[in-house]
Amino acid sequence: MSIVIVVSVSQLTIATEAAELPDYADELDLVWETPDDAAPVRGFSVGTDTVGVGICDVEGYHGDVSRRQAMEHAHVAARYLAELSGGRYEIELHWAGRRQGPLNFLSCPGLPFDTGVPVEAMLIFVPGFVNDDVAGGQAEPGLDSATWPGNGRFATVGTYPDGRADPATVVHELGHTLNWPHSQASSDGSSGYDNPVDIMGDAMAADGMPFGTLAFNRYAAGWIPASDVVRYQGGRHTVALVPPGGDGVQLVAIPLDEAATRVIVVDTRTRSDDDPLPTKGEGVNVHLVDNRQGKGMFRRHTQYPEGPPGGFSHVLTVGETLAESSWFRLAVTDQSEEGYVVDLVGFADIADSVFAAAILDVTQGHLMEPCDPSADDLFCPHRPVTRGEAAGFLVRMWGLSERAGIFVDTEGSGFGPDIERLAAAGITLGCNPPTNDRFCPHRLLTRGELAAFLTRALSLSGWGRSFVDVGGSGFRSDIERLAMEGITLGCDPPHYDRFCPDAVVTRGQMAAFLSRVGR
């Protein structure tokens, strides 16, 4: 994208030569609207934003900034935001004059600046407004009114005594005027400035240049189309994430409730001239967007999982997994030419299951599949398992290939080949002793039968702890051997003195058995 810069005595315009693009609607219902009297989330962030630039001299603040310096500071930030938007946002800057602030920097937005033309916001520089050796600022996204001063939309930025301003601080405060909130390491609200990979956490390079921001901020601003966002609600998916400016998916959004009041957002960042983030910040970034604290600029963005101030525990690289949720898991599996590849597995119906972690283990390893191919976001943890289904799971578990056709009732079964492989490995003997020429693929699998399958597959021997209800079971020795290996705990928590050998195996229980075997 090329940038056209027009400089005149009264204004500086940052514009793109790209053709006008259609508005990106919030088709994914991820961005909560602001209250009726506040500026809409995308009210000023798409198209041309007219901004006045002024200087506010406050008695007691020691320093000076020239008109040229102020316009240059504004220009750098405007160019950065235009690039970050991919051509969807441009700023037209108008000189608004210099005024004397009677009290402190808080009084500056109320001064009568004169831009000569209507503007939608004010960017005000305050010479010498430095706190703890940092030139700070303040901003508001304004009210639902078209122009300044009626809309109250402004950004105030302090400069050092010699007139310098950190470009990152200017971008940070302008970000607030676009309804971008602070970005922090934890949800306690103790600091809005401790996320080292987000400009809204005040992240900047040594020379004061800004790092990038969350893809969610760019989506909320209308800079990312819904076609470049994956709204994940379950199933198993592989997503190639690209960084800002890339061609492809830039954001994975995972709502944690039906109304999307809390959303886990995932994007990727790679170090570049436009995004000089630390090496530790390269990878897959995970954050939690919490709309319950407020809307627009007042929503809360925190690292996920929460970490120490300035930490990078929310940045994942190849081989690392996010397993903080009860119903989904995210693993970074590869680094592509542009960004990173992530695998997502999760199911909408397992959040309350005691077997949720085991289910994610076995589905991520492709040992078990969703229960309905037409709706891959369900696992059906309470559904009983048939003997034929169990054959398929066990064949995948051990990678069996050799076949032995010894049963007369498997023709027409979708699991016929798996049953033959199980027989060839000696894991099954049949279902009708002593003849054992049948497998009964459609019959529900009992816990005792599964114990026998697993004991044979693992070649277990010896004796282990017993349960009070297995004395008359033909599978007693198999059950006790499984218990000795820690593969079964029992069927009656918290006592765990029963095994329930005649109870049918559910898909959730099957996942638990396979997960423990895999460990």
Side-chain angles (χ1 to χ4, degrees):
M1 180 190 68
S2 59
I3 299 293
V4 177
I5 302 174
V6 180
V7 183
S8 70
V9 173
S10 63
Q11 68 180 36
L12 176 71
T13 302
I14 308 296
T16 69
E17 292 182 342
E20 184 177 352
L21 300 173
D23 284 344
Y24 293 154
D26 181 25
E27 301 169 10
L28 303 176
D29 294 326
L30 296 174
V31 181
W32 276 31
E33 290 300 318
T34 50
D36 292 340
D37 62 344
V41 171
R42 295 179 176 177
F44 301 102
S45 59
V46 176
T48 300
D49 193 8
T50 54
V51 177
V53 180
I55 299 173
C56 176
D57 294 303
V58 177
E59 185 177 353
Y61 292 169
H62 303 289
D64 188 25
V65 60
S66 68
R67 170 179 171 175
R68 175 168 290 277
Q69 283 177 307
M71 293 300 285
E72 287 176 350
H73 297 330
H75 157 62
V76 170
R79 182 171 59 186
Y80 170 86
L81 290 170
E83 290 278 5
L84 191 63
S85 76
R88 295 196 54 76
Y89 176 70
E90 55 193 47
I91 295 182
E92 183 179 285
L93 299 171
H94 294 263
W95 174 245
R98 189 172 200 136
R99 297 292 183 268
Q100 181 70 38
L103 299 173
N104 53 43
F105 81 98
L106 294 175
S107 65
C108 293
L111 297 177
F113 288 98
D114 182 12
T115 59
V117 297
V119 295
E120 296 164 305
M122 276 295 301
L123 172 58
I124 305 166
F125 291 95
V126 182
F129 173 46
V130 179
N131 184 22
D132 295 330
D133 296 324
V134 175
Q138 184 188 30
E140 292 288 346
L143 302 175
D144 189 9
S145 176
T147 59
W148 170 272
N151 62 12
R153 182 170 173 250
F154 71 90
T156 300
V157 177
T159 72
Y160 296 99
D162 59 3
R164 291 178 298 112
D166 290 316
T169 303
V170 184
V171 172
H172 177 105
E173 300 304 337
L174 286 175
H176 284 320
T177 72
L178 301 177
N179 265 304
W180 293 357
H182 281 149
S183 183
Q184 49 204 33
S186 62
S187 59
D188 62 7
S190 59
S191 174
Y193 305 96
D194 54 10
N195 188 347
V197 298
D198 187 358
I199 183 58
M200 300 314 295
D202 216 24
M204 69 176 77
D207 60 359
M209 293 303 294
F211 300 160
T213 191
L214 308 189
F216 188 83
N217 277 337
R218 293 183 289 117
Y219 174 78
W223 299 352
I224 298 177
S227 58
D228 289 348
V229 180
V230 171
R231 193 181 199 272
Y232 178 74
Q233 293 179 288
R236 187 164 51 223
H237 298 278
T238 298
V239 180
L241 281 169
V242 298
D247 183 15
V249 176
Q250 298 185 51
L251 171 65
V252 173
I254 309 172
L256 297 183
D257 53 46
E258 186 174 352
T261 59
R262 297 170 69 240
V263 183
I264 292 175
V265 294
V266 184
D267 59 32
T268 188
R269 302 271 291 284
T270 55
R271 183 178 174 84
S272 67
D273 291 342
D274 294 327
D275 191 7
L277 76 166
T279 303
K280 291 182 179 179
E282 289 193 289
V284 174
N285 285 248
V286 187
H287 292 83
L288 176 65
V289 175
D290 192 341
N291 289 294
R292 298 174 304 174
Q293 307 298 321
K295 302 176 182 179
M297 193 183 87
F298 303 102
R299 63 182 182 260
R300 181 164 289 173
H301 291 184
T302 56
Q303 298 175 3
Y304 191 87
E306 295 184 12
F312 295 88
S313 59
H314 66 303
V315 181
L316 306 178
T317 58
V318 175
E320 294 185 321
T321 299
L322 172 70
E324 295 293 316
S325 172
S326 61
W327 68 272
F328 81 91
R329 186 171 295 169
L330 180 150
V332 183
T333 59
D334 198 5
Q335 184 168 5
S336 64
E337 185 175 342
E338 282 193 273
Y340 289 83
V341 178
V342 299
D343 280 350
L344 286 155
V345 60
F347 303 98
D349 59 351
I350 69 170
D352 297 326
S353 173
V354 296
F355 305 115
I359 291 168
L360 294 175
D361 282 343
V362 298
T363 51
Q364 193 167 28
H366 296 268
L367 298 179
M368 297 182 71
E369 302 292 337
C371 60
D372 183 354
S374 65
D376 68 353
D377 61 339
L378 299 177
F379 184 80
C380 307
H382 305 296
R383 179 185 295 179
V385 174
T386 67
R387 287 170 56 87
E389 289 173 327
F393 301 148
L394 297 175
V395 164
R396 286 194 287 272
M397 182 79 191
W398 276 278
L400 305 178
S401 58
E402 186 178 345
R403 294 166 60 171
I406 64 174
F407 300 115
V408 298
D409 63 343
T410 59
E411 185 176 350
S413 169
F415 301 103
D418 293 321
I419 294 168
E420 293 178 358
R421 293 182 179 106
L422 215 61
I427 296 174
T428 182
L429 303 178
C431 68
N432 60 326
T435 308
N436 279 333
D437 61 350
R438 303 177 66 82
F439 182 78
C440 307
H442 304 295
R443 198 175 76 190
L444 297 181
L445 178 73
T446 69
R447 288 169 57 87
E449 289 172 332
L450 179 58
F453 287 157
L454 295 177
T455 296
R456 295 180 196 130
L458 295 166
S459 301
L460 300 181
S461 60
W463 299 89
R465 59 167 286 211
S466 188
F467 298 95
V468 298
D469 62 344
V470 300
S473 171
F475 303 109
R476 175 178 178 177
S477 60
D478 300 310
I479 294 166
E480 292 180 350
R481 287 165 184 156
L482 283 190
M484 178 179 64
E485 296 295 327
I487 296 172
T488 183
L489 303 177
C491 67
D492 60 334
H495 304 293
Y496 290 116
D497 59 355
R498 302 176 65 84
F499 182 78
C500 308
D502 300 319
V504 297
V505 177
T506 66
R507 285 172 56 85
Q509 291 172 344
M510 188 78 196
F513 280 117
L514 295 180
S515 177
R516 293 179 194 133
V517 168
R519 293 172 187 169

